[in-house]
Amino acid sequence: MSITRKIVLGYVILIFIPVMVFGYLYYKQIYSNLTQQFVESRQKILEQAYSNMKTDISRIESVYRVMQYNPYLTDYLDGIYESEAESVYTLIRYILPLFSQSMFTNQEIESLVIYKMKDQVLPVTGMVQNRSDLDPRVEEIVSSLKAGQGRWIRADSEDAIPALIYYQYIYNTQITERIGLLEIRVSNSLLRNFYAAAGMDGNWQAYLLTEEGNLLANGDREYDDVVLRLLQEEENAYFIKERTIVNQLKLEPLNVRVIIAGQVEDVFRTVKRKEIFMVTMIILLLLALSIAYYALASTITKRILRLARYMRTLNEENLKRHSIKTSRFEKDEIGFLTTTYNAMINRMDELINNVHRAELRNKEAAYQVLQAQIKPHFLYNTLETIRMVAVANRDQEVADISFWFGKLMRYSLTSEREETDLAKEIEMVAFFMNIHKMRLQSRLTYEINVAAQAERLACPRFILQPLIENAIVHGASTVLRPVHIRLQATETEQEVFVDISDNGNGIPPDKLREIRRRLSGPDESAGTAETGGVGLINVHERLRAFFGGHSRLEVHSEQGKGTCLRLIMVKRTVDKR
């Protein structure tokens, strides 16, 4: 079976069939809980709509506080203004804008009327009316209201959604006497908006019940009887019974219960339509994705199969490259794999063809090694011949210089290891200073004090020679007076100290600060010939690379008195292998 068929079969068995079976079982599992979840969600929506309506009611009730705490209105209702002109001016100047603003900010209010308690107060049509104009039934309801207490009542109407009226007494400024009764008539848009927010659409119906259980709005009487009977049998806020869904909530400000009822079939009729549409879309989507997946898998696997067939034809006599198309689809991981494979084939062919040339080069390198060994030996033999001739001619100075220089050359050219012992390094430094003393004569003197077991202490090769050379170049060569160079080596349990000091001119303070900065800063290796200290920086870096830890080079100098270079090395014994 090809890899394409394996991928397609794996997709059907591992993805397509499990997804379909799981979707079916999952749907069957949640179908039984769907109605209950729907009822719970509608109850939350009903509570949220009630919360919004309470906010609107509070906003409308706040009109009373605006009226009560307006001094012009309370003075007007209290009959303080003696002349009619003064009353009319106050009414037009202060009270009329108050009414207009209250109705403008509360679109649900149909009318604002205050029933005056005192006869001397000037009445205004539609705003301030006589108490005798008040409905006696309303006066009986609101007569027991206390200060700060209001009452909502339903307007007499045959509409299924009634209008609402709010009453509250207005008192004088000392809250000791009733001077008016505020009436706020609200349109049925307040309840209508509440029903809309509660999800009243389609075949869902809403009912208002009094505390005694009487229905306030007439509708389908047979259906009302079913709802009322269910409400008598069930005490829960929401329930499903006899294929009827009921949600109810008490509206505290209105002193009524609102019931929203609907049939289970109405819910699942919409769900069924959506279910059929959803299942159809899922099946079509899976089929489309399956076709796209097969096309993509074929595109990938065909290229892999071509590469696999070509790789089966390879042998020692056939190392040809695998040709690929130069398209944007070939610049992916498979194209990279093919390109890398071709590069590997080219490399293998190149290696096989170059085997004989590599063997010839190895033989030639062996001959060159033999020649390279002849050159140092010729140099050593020449220096030894010069020394022997000088001894024969009784020229001891030439003999000594030849001997010292030969030792230095043999030390620098023969060893393949960078590590040496401190004693050998100090010995080579002594030869180096002997050669310079022969040149400078009495202008240079030196002494070497070793208070350490130098033969067993490891150090890098040529770590001291740059420091000695620095002392000679910048110490002895810059002054006419004799210069003394002192090398002292000491040790502790953990560290080895090598001090190289001279009594030359010393280092200028600015240059000394620059050298110390470069020795301690992050750009220690960024020295230049202009600023000096390149040799010191190199020694410092070699110490840190060789010993690590706290190994370092310290520079101490005083201008006119001399310089001391101190090497601090972590103690390490010599590896004798």
Side-chain angles (χ1 to χ4, degrees), residues 66 96 133 192 307 376 561-562:
V66 174
L96 184 59
D133 296 336
R192 193 179 302 278
L307 181 60
K561 294 184 178 182

Side-chain angles (χ1 to χ4, degrees), residues 358-569:
E359 293 177 355
L360 293 177
R361 286 195 297 269
N362 289 336
K363 293 180 180 179
E364 183 179 354
Y367 288 126
Q368 291 178 355
V369 169
L370 291 177
Q371 288 181 340
Q373 292 176 351
I374 295 174
K375 295 177 182 179
H377 286 292
F378 177 74
L379 177 61
Y380 304 150
N381 293 336
T382 301
L383 292 173
E384 183 63 22
T385 301
I386 294 173
R387 190 183 70 82
M388 292 175 62
V389 171
V391 171
N393 292 334
R394 300 181 183 279
D395 192 343
Q396 188 61 36
E397 292 182 354
V398 176
D400 290 342
I401 290 177
S402 299
F403 176 73
W404 298 331
F405 186 66
K407 285 289 187 179
L408 287 174
M409 290 299 101
R410 192 178 297 274
Y411 180 71
S412 62
L413 297 177
T414 55
S415 179
E416 296 179 354
R417 300 176 58 189
E418 182 183 359
E419 180 180 327
T420 186
D421 59 79
L422 183 59
K424 178 65 70 177
E425 185 71 10
I426 293 175
E427 181 184 8
M428 292 301 108
V429 167
F431 293 152
F432 182 78
M433 286 194 291
N434 286 336
I435 294 175
H436 279 282
K437 181 172 176 56
M438 189 69 70
R439 178 175 62 87
L440 298 175
Q441 297 298 323
S442 62
R443 290 179 56 205
L444 175 65
T445 60
Y446 71 90
E447 64 174 311
I448 298 176
N449 297 323
V450 180
Q453 297 181 359
E455 295 82 3
R456 56 184 295 273
L457 298 176
C459 71
R461 292 161 56 83
F462 290 101
I463 198 69
L464 300 181
Q465 186 268 339
L467 304 183
I468 295 295
E469 184 177 4
N470 186 80
I472 294 173
V473 172
H474 299 288
S477 299
T478 58
V479 296
L480 297 177
R481 58 182 171 81
V483 173
H484 183 72
I485 297 176
R486 184 169 181 268
L487 187 150
Q488 182 175 0
T490 58
E491 66 174 326
T492 64
E493 292 183 0
Q494 302 294 333
E495 295 177 323
V496 178
F497 302 92
V498 179
D499 294 328
I500 299 173
S501 59
D502 65 76
N503 60 345
N505 282 336
I507 305 174
D510 294 342
K511 186 174 181 181
L512 179 62
R513 284 194 297 269
E514 178 65 18
I515 292 174
R516 287 176 175 173
R517 184 189 66 80
R518 288 160 55 195
L519 287 175
S520 61
D523 55 345
E524 300 162 358
S525 61
T528 61
E530 289 76 4
T531 57
V534 177
L536 301 181
I537 300 299
N538 292 337
V539 170
H540 178 72
E541 289 296 324
R542 290 186 64 202
L543 276 179
R544 295 180 60 182
F546 187 85
F547 291 103
H550 300 287
S551 300
R552 62 193 181 276
L553 170 64
E554 294 182 353
V555 181
H556 305 279
S557 180
E558 186 174 354
Q559 194 168 7
K561 294 184 178 182
T563 302
C564 178
L565 305 176
R566 163 166 281 199
L567 292 177
I568 302 175
M569 301 177 288

Side-chain angles (χ1 to χ4, degrees), residues 208-415:
L208 292 177
L209 293 182
T210 63
E211 291 182 339
E212 297 79 16
N214 298 322
L215 190 65
L216 295 179
N218 294 326
D220 187 350
R221 195 62 202 170
E222 180 180 357
Y223 190 66
D224 295 342
D225 292 339
V226 174
V227 174
L228 291 175
R229 180 168 51 83
L230 291 177
L231 290 174
Q232 294 173 357
E233 296 176 358
E234 292 285 347
E235 297 181 356
N236 296 327
Y238 55 91
F239 55 88
I240 304 173
K241 195 168 185 180
E242 296 183 8
R243 308 190 66 79
T244 300
I245 298 175
V246 175
N247 295 87
Q248 60 176 327
L249 189 68
K250 184 174 182 180
L251 305 182
E252 296 289 347
L254 308 182
N255 222 5
V256 296
R257 275 195 302 164
V258 60
I259 293 93
I260 297 179
Q263 293 297 308
V264 177
E265 290 79 4
D266 296 334
V267 177
F268 283 98
R269 185 179 299 113
T270 304
V271 173
K272 283 290 184 181
R273 289 197 297 267
K274 294 182 178 180
E275 170 193 342
I276 296 173
F277 175 77
M278 180 183 67
V279 172
T280 303
M281 290 302 298
I282 290 176
I283 294 176
L284 293 177
L285 182 61
L286 280 176
L287 290 176
L289 291 177
S290 300
I291 295 173
Y293 178 83
Y294 176 79
L296 179 61
S298 299
T299 303
I300 297 175
T301 54
K302 285 179 181 178
R303 295 163 59 196
I304 297 177
L305 292 174
R306 286 199 303 267
L307 181 60
R309 284 194 300 268
Y310 184 81
M311 292 177 67
R312 293 190 185 97
T313 62
L314 291 180
N315 52 46
E316 295 181 358
E317 298 179 356
N318 180 19
L319 292 176
K320 296 181 180 179
R321 298 174 71 253
H322 176 51
S323 61
I324 58 176
K325 299 179 181 179
T326 57
S327 64
R328 61 187 181 93
F329 296 103
E330 301 295 334
K331 296 179 180 179
D332 54 7
E333 287 77 6
I334 300 178
F336 174 75
L337 178 63
T338 305
T339 303
T340 306
Y341 168 76
N342 289 334
M344 181 186 68
I345 292 298
N346 292 337
R347 184 59 179 164
M348 290 174 59
D349 185 55
E350 181 181 353
L351 292 175
I352 293 175
N353 292 333
N354 291 338
V355 168
H356 297 293
R357 289 197 296 270
E359 293 177 355
L360 293 177
R361 286 195 297 269
N362 289 336
K363 293 180 180 179
E364 183 179 354
Y367 288 126
Q368 291 178 355
V369 169
L370 291 177
Q371 288 181 340
Q373 292 176 351
I374 295 174
K375 295 177 182 179
H377 286 292
F378 177 74
L379 177 61
Y380 304 150
N381 293 336
T382 301
L383 292 173
E384 183 63 22
T385 301
I386 294 173
R387 190 183 70 82
M388 292 175 62
V389 171
V391 171
N393 292 334
R394 300 181 183 279
D395 192 343
Q396 188 61 36
E397 292 182 354
V398 176
D400 290 342
I401 290 177
S402 299
F403 176 73
W404 298 331
F405 186 66
K407 285 289 187 179
L408 287 174
M409 290 299 101
R410 192 178 297 274
Y411 180 71
S412 62
L413 297 177
T414 55
S415 179

Side-chain angles (χ1 to χ4, degrees), residues 3-50:
I3 187 173
T4 304
R5 294 181 180 178
K6 290 180 180 178
I7 292 177
V8 173
L9 183 61
Y11 169 78
V12 173
I13 295 176
L14 299 178
I15 299 178
F16 186 82
I17 294 178
V19 168
M20 296 298 293
V21 172
F22 173 78
Y24 175 77
L25 295 178
Y26 183 71
Y27 174 78
K28 294 294 290 183
Q29 181 180 0
I30 66 173
Y31 188 82
S32 59
N33 299 326
L34 181 61
T35 307
Q36 183 67 24
Q37 293 177 0
F38 178 80
V39 175
E40 293 175 357
S41 64
R42 287 195 66 90
Q43 185 68 24
K44 293 179 180 179
I45 293 173
L46 181 62
E47 293 173 357
Q48 181 61 43
Y50 175 52

